[in-house]
Amino acid sequence: MRSSRTSLRVRLAALLAGAAAVGTLVTAGTTTAHAADTPLRDLAAAKGKAMGTAVTGSKLTGTYGDLAGAQFNWLTPGNAMKWGSVEPTRGTFDWAEADQIVAFAEAHGQEVRGHTLVWHSQNPGWLTNGTWTPAQLSTLLNDHIATEVGRYKGRLAAWDVVNEPFNEDGTYRQTLWYNGLGTGYIAQALTAARAADPDAKLYINDYNVEGVNAKSTALYNLVKSLKEQGVPIDGVGLQAHLILGQVPSTLQQNIQRFADLGVDVAITELDIRMTLPSDSAKLTQQAADYKAVMNACVAVARCTGVTVWGFTDSDSWIPSTFPGQGAATPYDENYAPKPAYRAIAEALGGTTTPPTGACTATYSVASQWNTGFTGQVRIACSGAALSSWKVTWTYGAGQQITQAWNATCTQSGAAVSCANASYNGTVPDGGSVTFGFNGSWSGTNPVPTVTLG
Ligand code: 9MR
């Protein structure tokens, strides 16, 4: 059954640039969780699959928390359980964010995927800068796993025990662990993890192993060999940091060959990046790509499910790592579901509402000085379009608009109303329009709640 959804959802955000030129992104205003048809987690559960997301603990309130809790049945801490996060100083542990995420998951009936125990990256400085004998390294590895896995014993469903052990050509990555302990570090880590929590499913996780290629074949051969030796290994994680239009054609075949080895397969970090700005053609392609990944997992019984690496474009690693790229997740920066969201739902057997009501207005303060400020409002549509628009708001601290461009604005008392100019009433699906204004303020310049109508 479909639930009704609001016809227009309006989010606002303000970029406050202070005198010290330090920008702070502030969001406020009406919070409307996506009134989806059936939540993704329920669709996934009906198929016996996980639908997960990576999360940032500090963001688990408001709309972000609402969506993380309502739409997903698995969570992965994006950074909170990495060695550098939990033991920044040797022997001094910080479990705050990891504990918070586990507690959130338990409160929302969600499973947690622990991420990650043994990696070459995001390790504490004391570990990477130290000089260690093989015996010392071995003890460090065992103790770390015993401590972290032991802390959450019985509470985590799975662990990415070893992360990214291979180079692109299928050779082993030269890491602290490989260089000190040889390939045996992998079996050692898995064995230690099993001892610390016999009920957690133990995974090796890597990227660029989604299709059949040299790297995934190396992973396949490793898993085969570990199984033959009786080393505890329950699954492989295919991260799936993909590029628009480039879902490997051998994805399902690759999942199947791992399944045939007798291990589970999880898509652990799915995102599909594009060159910015997004437009409706790219978002449509992205939806097809998300659907292809979902379909491949749904088609293989031992594919346990799919986790997206952040569910909103406002919480994605892509723009900072790949400048000019982004829009990689199923929800946009204002938490509006994108075509990719609907594609995931459909692949899980759900029906989706027509793509109406996905235009948003975002108010920003671009700059401000002692008595004046420049603001702007951006109207963006995704899965919807406008042929004319009007944006209204009420100032809370006596602000007064003095001049506007790309819109006709009137202010009466605190109430402001801005309508499109003759040339910019049309906002196409996937497009946006921005208008600007100068104003005066004194004391404070709080962000108003804007309404798009
Ligand atoms: O999402 C994580 C990001 O916040 C970190 O800055 C980054 C550092 O490498 O790690 C990101 O997560 C990675 C994950 O732990 C392992 N696979 C690749 C992910 C993207 O870099």
Side-chain angles (χ1 to χ4, degrees), residues 348-430:
L348 291 171
T351 53
T352 56
T353 46
T356 56
C359 294
T360 58
T362 305
Y363 180 111
S364 313
V365 177
S367 63
Q368 67 182 30
W369 52 98
N370 48 354
T371 58
F373 70 98
T374 298
Q376 66 176 34
V377 171
R378 179 171 182 264
I379 301 157
C381 292
S382 175
L386 296 170
S387 56
S388 67
W389 45 263
K390 186 172 79 167
V391 181
T392 58
W393 65 88
T394 302
Y395 277 127
Q399 300 101 316
Q400 180 69 44
I401 289 192
T402 53
Q403 180 192 11
W405 51 95
N406 296 334
T408 304
C409 294
T410 56
Q411 181 165 356
S412 172
V416 178
S417 176
C418 295
N420 61 272
S422 59
Y423 51 85
N424 65 359
T426 298
V427 187
D429 181 4

Side-chain angles (χ1 to χ4, degrees), residues 78-79 82 115-116 119 121-122 163-164 205 207 239 241 269 309 317 321:
N79 290 299
K82 293 169 181 172
H115 176 86
T116 180
W119 194 21
S121 182
Q122 289 184 280
N163 201 35
E164 302 174 359
N205 189 49
Y207 63 89
Q239 293 185 7
H241 294 293
E269 304 184 16
W309 205 244
W317 69 296
T321 304

Side-chain angles (χ1 to χ4, degrees), residues 240-247 271-274 289 322 325:
H241 294 293
L242 302 177
I243 295 169
L244 190 71
Q246 296 184 28
V247 177
D271 50 26
I272 302 178
R273 61 187 183 265
M274 62 182 70
D289 293 345
F322 301 98
Q325 306 273 305

Side-chain angles (χ1 to χ4, degrees), residues 65-442:
D66 290 346
L67 289 173
Q71 293 288 331
F72 300 94
N73 57 9
W74 279 63
L75 299 183
T76 303
N79 290 299
M81 289 185 174
K82 293 169 181 172
W83 200 331
S85 299
V86 302
E87 195 183 4
T89 304
R90 192 173 186 188
T92 302
F93 295 89
D94 180 355
W95 302 106
E97 188 187 351
D99 285 355
Q100 180 209 348
I101 292 169
V102 173
F104 181 97
E106 289 173 343
H108 292 82
Q110 298 166 309
E111 304 282 8
V112 176
R113 174 173 208 90
H115 176 86
T116 180
L117 296 167
V118 185
W119 194 21
H120 62 274
S121 182
Q122 289 184 280
N123 285 318
W126 65 263
L127 176 63
T128 49
N129 298 333
T131 304
W132 312 103
T133 65
Q136 288 171 322
L137 264 187
S138 179
T139 302
L140 283 165
L141 186 72
N142 286 342
D143 288 352
H144 171 62
I145 292 173
T147 301
E148 181 152 10
V149 178
R151 180 179 182 84
Y152 298 107
K153 180 172 188 249
R155 298 172 71 191
L156 265 56
W159 270 104
D160 290 330
V161 177
V162 176
N163 201 35
E164 302 174 359
F166 289 110
N167 295 314
E168 296 305 292
D169 65 0
T171 56
Y172 282 95
R173 190 190 287 269
Q174 308 276 308
T175 69
L176 171 74
W177 308 111
Y178 178 85
N179 293 338
L181 301 172
T183 59
Y185 84 89
I186 295 175
Q188 180 180 335
L190 290 161
T191 303
R194 178 68 95 229
D197 186 350
D199 295 326
K201 299 292 186 194
L202 307 181
Y203 280 69
I204 301 173
N205 189 49
D206 215 327
Y207 63 89
N208 288 351
V209 291
E210 294 75 33
V212 175
N213 58 34
K215 192 174 185 181
S216 67
T217 298
L219 178 59
Y220 177 90
N221 290 332
L222 169 63
V223 172
K224 185 164 184 288
S225 149
L226 292 171
K227 292 282 285 182
E228 285 164 1
Q229 296 168 62
V231 174
I233 172 77
D234 300 306
V236 295
L238 314 182
Q239 293 185 7
H241 294 293
L242 302 177
I243 295 169
L244 190 71
Q246 296 184 28
V247 177
S249 59
T250 51
L251 174 59
Q252 186 179 326
Q253 175 193 342
N254 192 43
I255 294 172
Q256 186 67 57
R257 74 170 170 159
F258 281 104
D260 292 345
L261 277 181
V263 292
D264 291 338
V265 180
I267 308 288
T268 51
E269 304 184 16
L270 177 61
D271 50 26
I272 302 178
R273 61 187 183 265
M274 62 182 70
T275 300
L276 296 172
S278 68
D279 59 29
S280 67
K282 292 178 194 171
L283 293 173
T284 300
Q285 176 67 53
Q286 185 185 50
D289 293 345
Y290 265 93
K291 191 175 271 185
V293 174
M294 297 300 303
N295 285 344
C297 184
V298 168
V300 180
R302 286 202 81 140
C303 186
T304 59
V306 175
T307 287
V308 292
W309 205 244
F311 64 88
T312 160
D313 292 338
S314 68
D315 186 42
S316 169
W317 69 296
I318 297 290
S320 58
T321 304
F322 301 98
Q325 306 273 305
T329 78
Y331 287 85
D332 76 11
E333 294 179 345
N334 297 314
Y335 302 113
K338 292 153 61 175
Y341 172 91
R342 291 183 282 277
I344 294 169
E346 286 165 14
L348 291 171
T351 53
T352 56
T353 46
T356 56
C359 294
T360 58
T362 305
Y363 180 111
S364 313
V365 177
S367 63
Q368 67 182 30
W369 52 98
N370 48 354
T371 58
F373 70 98
T374 298
Q376 66 176 34
V377 171
R378 179 171 182 264
I379 301 157
C381 292
S382 175
L386 296 170
S387 56
S388 67
W389 45 263
K390 186 172 79 167
V391 181
T392 58
W393 65 88
T394 302
Y395 277 127
Q399 300 101 316
Q400 180 69 44
I401 289 192
T402 53
Q403 180 192 11
W405 51 95
N406 296 334
T408 304
C409 294
T410 56
Q411 181 165 356
S412 172
V416 178
S417 176
C418 295
N420 61 272
S422 59
Y423 51 85
N424 65 359
T426 298
V427 187
D429 181 4
S432 67
V433 165
T434 300
F435 66 91
F437 45 88
N438 287 333
S440 61
W441 68 292
S442 66

